[in-house]
Amino acid sequence: MTGRAVVVGVGHYLPERVVPNSHFEATLDTTDEWIQSRSGIQRRHFAAEDETTSDLAAHAARAALADAGLQAGDIDAIVLATSTADLTFPSAATMVQAALGMDKGFAFDVQAVCAGFVYALSTANAMILAGQAKRVLVIGAETFSRIMDWTDRSTCVLFGDGAGALVLESQTGAGTSADRGILSTDLNSDGRYKDLLYVDGGVSTQTTGHLRMQGNQVFRHAVEKLASTAETALDKAGLSANDVDWIVPHQANIRIISGTARKMGLSMDHVVVTVQDHGNTSAASIPLALSVGKQRGQINSGDLIVTEAIGGGLAWGAVVLRW
Ligand code: ACO
């Protein structure tokens, strides 16, 4: 018998405003055709002016709690992955805690850019296995529209806003790979690549800054590192790609998503894809895809899922879980 962190609820929230690729044709030297063929993105959501990351996160958290049939008071901790928190401090997670009316437990943010949700899941899993918390809300939420340089066509067409959330619950498993819940995690970072993807501002510089990316360089690292971390995580769980029902990847670019699946020897029939509708929502993209995948009827109880992501740092990783 062994402890397992099992998903008992999932939910998401997308801001009302949908922005199609054609929106950018008016102000930039770009086309819907270029954006779709290079990234797979057709549209994305942008938060309203008065909508913050913690607002998006709270909506997604309520949806996940409702899906789990739980109340905020049943939760011991909130781990929120974001690089676009409302304020420098306090954490967006404590704002969600207050918004949910949760007056016990603890809440904090995790920042690993697009790999943030994988890092947050891994952190929550460790806390559950250590007995620090019985139920944890794990949220990915972003307003990347706030850090775009709207004159930079190579970045501003790629990102969107949104939030997704899971409720993880401590349960007892048999200790085999047939157990439901998180079966393994694999985290990596390499700060030598910090200049490939960063925001050129922050608290110490007293500016918010804008996202800067050497997209083709990141691309070069992405497929190899994502397939490698997914295979390492599967190996740690005593499983292989043949056992996978669904890859639920970070949704940055359809060419990275399909290249990673191909490298793992899996067809696109085994991949949940939402990039066409959401764009790259950074730490929110995996929980958004899990929630949409469940709504579509793709993801069902007992399915073996691999999530994988890479982002600024570079930071990358994977989590293997049975739904
Ligand atoms: N419209 C038209 N042309 C454009 C646009 C645009 N929106 N953007 C760039 N171009 C041009 C470039 O200027 C370049 O022109 P040039 O050849 O005259 O210099 C040409 O298109 C090719 O540019 P590349 O950057 O080489 O294009 P690529 O095929 O690599 O696609 C993309 C770009 C979509 C950014 C891709 O590299 C990518 O997805 N990279 C990975 C992004 C990623 O996964 N990031 C990690 C997560 S994000 C995070 O952590 C925050």
Side-chain angles (χ1 to χ4, degrees), residues 24 28-31 34-35 37-41 83 112-115 144 147 152-159 197-198 211 213-220 222 226 250-256 280 282-283 310-315:
F24 298 99
L28 294 168
D29 181 13
T30 191
T31 60
W34 190 97
I35 300 168
S37 65
R38 293 299 178 110
S39 71
I41 297 165
S83 302
V113 203
C114 295
F144 261 51
I147 51 168
D152 178 6
R153 66 177 183 173
S154 69
T155 54
C156 74
V157 302
L158 301 173
F159 293 87
L197 177 51
Y198 64 100
L211 182 142
M213 177 165 73
Q214 295 178 43
N216 49 9
Q217 296 296 321
V218 177
F219 199 110
R220 213 166 284 166
L226 289 172
H250 169 48
Q251 311 279 325
N253 184 313
I254 190 65
R255 293 185 294 141
I256 294 174
N280 182 345
S282 192
I310 187 165
L314 294 174

Side-chain angles (χ1 to χ4, degrees), residues 73-149:
D74 299 321
I75 301 298
D76 303 313
I78 300 174
V79 184
L80 197 163
T82 190
S83 302
T84 49
D86 305 22
L87 299 176
T88 301
F89 70 77
S91 65
T94 53
M95 295 180 187
V96 173
Q97 188 185 22
L100 296 179
M102 199 178 137
D103 56 9
K104 68 173 182 80
F106 59 97
F108 60 95
D109 291 354
V110 163
Q111 205 268 54
V113 203
C114 295
F117 193 74
V118 166
Y119 274 62
L121 262 188
S122 180
T123 304
N125 181 51
M127 293 193 313
I128 285 175
L129 297 188
Q132 281 182 302
K134 187 168 169 8
R135 291 200 194 93
V136 184
L137 253 174
V138 190
I139 308 170
E142 302 279 16
T143 47
F144 261 51
S145 63
R146 304 279 151 77
I147 51 168
M148 290 298 111
D149 173 351

Side-chain angles (χ1 to χ4, degrees), residues 231-288:
E231 277 158 7
T232 302
L234 282 165
D235 195 48
K236 286 182 186 176
L239 295 163
S240 74
N242 290 334
D243 300 304
V244 172
D245 293 299
W246 293 107
I247 304 176
V248 183
H250 169 48
Q251 311 279 325
N253 184 313
I254 190 65
R255 293 185 294 141
I256 294 174
I257 292 170
S258 57
T260 305
R262 201 176 316 119
K263 205 163 170 58
M264 292 175 68
L266 288 167
S267 79
M268 289 301 284
D269 295 344
H270 290 277
V271 187
V272 175
V273 180
T274 57
V275 69
Q276 68 281 5
D277 298 323
H278 303 164
N280 182 345
T281 58
S282 192
S285 90
I286 288 175
L288 266 165

